[in-house]
Amino acid sequence: MFLILLSAFVCVFTSFELTVQRRRRSAGRRSRLRRELLLNFLNNIVCPTTYCHLNAAVPILRLYFEDGDLRPNLRLSRQSIQSLIAAVKPDCDHGWEKDVEVLVFLYWLAHAASYRVVSHAFDIPKSTVHDIVHRMSKAVIGILRQLNAFPSADDLEAVGAGFAQLAGSPAFGVVAGAIHGCHIRIKPPASDGQSYFNRKLFNSVQLQAITDHKGKFVDIFVGYPGSVHDARVLKNSPVYTGRLFPPAGKCILGDGGYPCLSAPICPMTPHSEPVQNTVQARYNRKHSRAQDIVERAFGMLKTRWRSIFFKALEVSPAFVPEVVACCTVLHNLCLLNGDIVDPEVVEDDDGPPEPRNTEASAGEHVRDNLTAAVSAPGNCVPALHEHDYL
């Protein structure tokens, strides 16, 4: 009986030991598998996959790293590109190098191409191109206030002298800027698309800009639908509602689409045609010569970024103002670096002119004083000093 019990006990103990050993081996295999999976995961994080490496065969990257000419492909000189790389500060502290992201963004701007086309050009994923474009646009907007800024009180005298030289009359020394509007072609949104259909018979959003005497943008306001009149765009812009510019005693030059006002800001417009006399005609000629600088600035902007301004932007209408603002920032950056393009003579597709503003002109007395100053003789005739007058 004892032997039977002992034999049964040995069998039970042996079975228990075998079960424990099997469980230990199974736990060991699971532990090794977890360690292998964890190592593989860490290796994938530390060692990026192949697509994250720069492809040295990409022609644009080869031009950049071999000091080639970048203007045909990126529309900026190498000096301007280096200034942009030094100025922008993307919010991301990892990923692609900043200079590569700047090249991708400039290529997208220069060609207004789809993300797929840019992806093939740089041999990087399409989703990465999308992220880079939006990240870099925000970085460029971050330096907008540094480059698109109103002239300081010390600079206003030089700005006035510049406009006086443009007009050919010292009376225009009171001018602090020139204002004008531009239509940016877009793909209209599905809802309320008719609001974007302008008088030139295409869909657009409006860019209102003020420039100094050198064609530098000092203020921009972009985003209003193309069907809105220039005067309404002005009266809803921050520069008007906040009385930001010009300062007291100064004025800005605008065409007949704007109101002639003395407050809250002072835009000076030409006299309505037909003019009443030669004095008004002379003022209009001088006004046109000085105000032409803002149209020249738009011409340079359109010449540099032809793909942005001469075909409909295929991005969300909400993203269009950001893209256009980036173009104006880059325009000013190029002017600082002497990277200037001459406006090309292109076929005029502007259509009919903006209807003249018919509101009461509260600034007529200011314009009349400026008109009289333009025709006033700069020096007295010597014969007038030969007699005493009562």
Side-chain angles (χ1 to χ4, degrees), residues 40-54 95-96:
N40 288 336
F41 177 73
L42 292 175
N43 287 336
N44 286 335
I45 292 178
V46 175
C47 301
T49 51
T50 304
Y51 76 85
C52 289
H53 293 290
L54 285 178
W96 297 91

Side-chain angles (χ1 to χ4, degrees), residues 183-204:
H183 288 269
I184 315 299
R185 297 175 183 267
I186 65 165
K187 297 286 187 181
S191 60
D192 200 27
Q194 68 276 8
S195 296
Y196 293 85
F197 194 72
N198 62 31
R199 70 181 190 280
K200 303 177 184 180
L201 307 182
F202 61 85
N203 297 288
S204 67

Side-chain angles (χ1 to χ4, degrees), residues 255-328:
D255 61 20
Y258 293 101
C260 183
L261 302 172
S262 58
I265 65 173
C266 187
M268 286 293 101
T269 61
H271 291 282
S272 301
E273 297 287 346
V275 294
Q276 298 177 4
N277 49 54
T278 56
V279 174
Q280 290 185 357
R282 184 178 296 110
Y283 165 83
N284 279 7
R285 289 195 301 271
K286 304 290 186 181
H287 179 286
S288 177
R289 289 172 57 182
Q291 201 254 343
D292 185 63
I293 186 64
V294 65
E295 298 182 17
R296 178 177 172 81
F298 281 140
M300 289 190 287
L301 196 67
K302 292 178 179 181
T303 300
R304 191 181 299 276
W305 309 112
R306 297 182 64 89
S307 297
I308 297 291
F309 290 92
F310 285 109
K311 70 176 185 178
L313 273 175
E314 297 187 6
V315 297
S316 167
F319 187 46
V320 170
E322 194 168 314
V323 174
V324 175
C326 288
C327 291
T328 64

Side-chain angles (χ1 to χ4, degrees), residues 144-152 212 216-219 332:
L144 184 144
R145 289 303 170 197
Q146 301 175 27
L147 294 173
N148 296 20
F150 296 124
S152 63
D212 65 7
K216 173 189 173 185
F217 293 108
V218 299
D219 181 74
N332 285 356

Side-chain angles (χ1 to χ4, degrees), residues 58-98:
V58 171
I60 298 177
L61 294 178
R62 191 187 309 127
L63 281 173
Y64 176 72
F65 291 112
E66 295 179 0
D67 296 331
D69 185 12
L70 298 170
R71 286 191 70 168
N73 290 300
L74 303 181
R75 311 302 296 160
L76 269 68
S77 67
R78 181 172 292 274
Q79 182 179 354
S80 298
I81 294 174
Q82 294 298 337
S83 297
L84 179 61
I85 293 172
V88 296
K89 297 178 180 179
D91 295 333
C92 187
D93 59 353
H94 60 278
W96 297 91
E97 292 292 335
K98 186 167 64 172

